[in-house]
Amino acid sequence: MPSSVLLPDAEVRELRAALPQLPYLNLGRRALCDLELLMQGAFAPLSGYMNQTQYQSVLESMHLPDGSLIPLPVCLDFSATLAEKLEPGGRLVLNDQEGFPLAVLEVEDLWQPDKRAEARAVFGTDDASVHAGVRRFFEETGAWYAGGTILGLHLPMHHDSMDLRRSPEEWRAVMQRQGWARVLGAHPHGALHRVDREILLRAARRADAGLLLLPAADQPFLVDADHFHKVRCHRAFYEHLPEGLAELGLLPLACRGAGPREALFQALTLRSCGCTHFLVEPDQGEPRPLNGGRAYAPGAVFDLLEKYAPESGVEPVPSDALRFHSRKKCFVPAQDTSLDEVETPPTSEELDILLEHGREIPSWFTFPEVLDEMRRAHPPRHEQGLCVFFTGLSGAGKSTLAKILYVRFMEQGTRPVTLLDGDIVRRNLSSELGFSREHRVLNVTRIGFVASEIVKNRGIAICAPIAPYEEARRANRELISQYGGYVEVHVSTSLATCEARDRKGLYAKAKAGLKKGVTGVDDPFEPPQHADLALDTAGLAPEDAARKILLLLEQKGYVR
Ligand code: ADP
């Protein structure tokens, strides 16, 4: 098993001297995860990115042409612009997000993958509207792939959780030191609670194995509060496992949401860390749920892992379905007891709702230290950051309402407030931008970025651009709602009313042909599809309109 593709120091020095002449690619977070594990030999026998023949073979049969089992493609993707600078036999420098060179790819071949065919093979569907993994794959993956050998210069750098990060080779050594010939690996994504302790220990007993807990850390470079929160939860959970029976680490394995194939890929990666068994959770490899439904049939993951166990060398161990027995005060198998005696643990969505509303969480569900951490990371809504995002035609009433809300929030004094009014932003943040579609999207994206930072730090951001395009509004909603509340208010005042008001003389100029690209006149305003509130301000006093918004915020729990 190759342990690493890092070059010896002398060769690194020599290669570094040649780097400035070569094309380069700054890798995204997920590609950095792949590179780190590739360089550490976790995807053995792969020690570089798959070439087209290997890629096709993996899509069709989950095997490399040499017969090795690998269920997912491991390819380097990039844009058409970079593809123009590359050719077989050439070299490409792979940098981290700050431009620090980590490796050089010796390009063997490059090609444009058929992404739909890849999605069907890997995810089992190419319908992005029903599968979050497919959607992310289509949105984030470049149009070109390259395969070839990697010359490793430096492993991606981490500055956090150093005691939990080890290479597969180091993990194998730890397992050996422990004297564990049988190791049950688990690769959870979220925080673990009392029921998970029971599941893990039951599975370890069944497998007669030591326990290696390697939760996903696929955001290693972003200083993301959620990552640190999860690590703190894992550490707190680990303290409740019996001493000497379990080890805790982090595995930078990018999650794809490809269900059975992904779970098999995880099992193989854990095998490289010394695992002989793999705990299969009911949602192992599942993408984030879209439209409420599951993407894969129950049992599909376990069946695939069991089928390939003789080849993979990893025995799947199913996780028991357990319920809390309210009289016996312990967890029991779900089928063993009648419904009125058991409590079902809340799902992660239900848990989020309990936390967001500051409601009580039963003590049988989790450990006090984990709960404290969860409450700190997920405060009730009125303590979270909040973005009120106004959209509408010029003159619709966005700034007027934004200012009233600003004053109300300042009077309450509970959270810091920032007003990102359309004109203020255009003057300060986007002064060089015009009104083309591209520039309008960029302007709204910048506002979204600033608002997301404010919301992340639990402030209130009130945004009031025209934001005429749904695509940019959707991107902002997705970005910001990861960190706190997001409420979109469509100020839906008609064009006729806005023209009649014509506060800034904009519509008069448009009519006289002195101004082009005026939203609603000769540039489109795409009606919002996800507005939380639509307000037509014709015949409505500003204070009345603002009150409607505040009442909605109160109803949603964002203000008290
Ligand atoms: P925008 O920011 O959407 O371009 P402004 O807030 O600058 O719009 O201008 C809206 C105009 O409409 C202001 O002159 C405001 O006094 C008037 N107006 C009348 N009724 C309302 C209302 N209910 N809400 C907001 N503005 C109103």
Side-chain angles (χ1 to χ4, degrees), residues 306-319:
E306 196 169 46
K307 180 174 167 199
Y308 283 96
E311 224 182 307
S312 69
V314 188
E315 205 60 54
V317 181
S319 78

Side-chain angles (χ1 to χ4, degrees), residues 62 264 301-312 316:
M62 304 209 300
L264 183 56
V301 165
F302 188 83
D303 292 348
L304 191 81
L305 266 81
E306 196 169 46
K307 180 174 167 199
Y308 283 96
E311 224 182 307
S312 69

Side-chain angles (χ1 to χ4, degrees), residues 5-38:
V5 295
L6 280 179
L7 295 176
D9 285 353
E11 286 180 44
V12 168
R13 275 195 297 278
E14 201 178 307
L15 192 53
R16 275 194 193 283
L19 299 185
Q21 280 80 46
L22 298 177
Y24 67 88
L25 174 62
N26 288 357
L27 299 177
R29 282 149 54 181
R30 300 158 55 70
L32 279 166
C33 290
D34 281 355
L35 180 66
E36 177 167 2
L37 289 173
L38 256 180

Side-chain angles (χ1 to χ4, degrees), residues 17 46-47 54 79 136 144 154 156 173 191 198 201 218 232 234 289 387 407 409 422 430 456 478 513 528 533 536 556:
L46 274 190
S47 56
Q54 292 173 318
S79 67
R136 181 157 68 179
W144 283 80
H154 202 293
E198 191 65 28
L201 293 176
D218 64 352
R232 284 195 296 269
H234 293 316
C387 173
V407 171
F409 291 138
S430 294
K456 193 192 284 181
E478 284 182 7
L533 185 66
D536 180 350
K556 285 180 177 282

Side-chain angles (χ1 to χ4, degrees), residues 418-433 442-448 450 462-465:
T418 303
L419 179 57
L420 295 166
D421 186 58
D423 294 327
I424 300 174
V425 170
R426 282 273 177 191
R427 258 200 312 280
N428 295 287
L429 199 59
S430 294
S431 55
E432 86 288 16
L433 298 185
L442 192 55
N443 179 46
V444 172
T445 307
R446 285 181 187 173
I447 293 174
V450 176
I462 307 170
C463 310

Side-chain angles (χ1 to χ4, degrees), residues 26-154:
N26 288 357
L27 299 177
R29 282 149 54 181
R30 300 158 55 70
L32 279 166
C33 290
D34 281 355
L35 180 66
E36 177 167 2
L37 289 173
L38 256 180
M39 282 166 78
Q40 293 178 328
F43 304 147
L46 274 190
S47 56
Y49 293 102
M50 289 177 187
N51 61 31
Q52 192 173 4
T53 314
Q54 292 173 318
Y55 164 76
Q56 283 302 346
S57 166
V58 163
L59 290 195
E60 282 155 27
S61 69
M62 304 209 300
H63 287 82
L64 293 172
D66 73 2
S68 313
L69 175 66
I70 293 203
L72 295 180
V74 180
C75 293
L76 183 71
D77 68 282
F78 44 86
S79 67
T81 323
L82 178 60
E84 281 171 20
K85 299 183 196 156
L86 299 180
E87 54 185 7
R91 288 177 160 190
L92 172 67
V93 187
L94 304 179
N95 293 335
D96 70 10
Q97 293 184 326
E98 283 153 24
F100 177 71
L102 301 171
V104 172
L105 172 70
E106 299 200 293
V107 181
E108 189 183 326
D109 57 357
L110 53 155
W111 70 98
Q112 275 181 291
D114 176 347
K115 286 204 199 167
R116 290 207 168 271
E118 179 177 334
R120 284 194 296 274
V122 168
F123 297 96
T125 173
D126 60 1
D127 186 349
S129 68
V130 298
H131 194 299
V134 173
R135 190 165 106 190
R136 181 157 68 179
F137 168 63
F138 286 161
E139 283 177 357
E140 294 182 6
T141 312
W144 283 80
Y145 284 0
T149 310
I150 286 172
L151 307 174
L153 301 170
H154 202 293

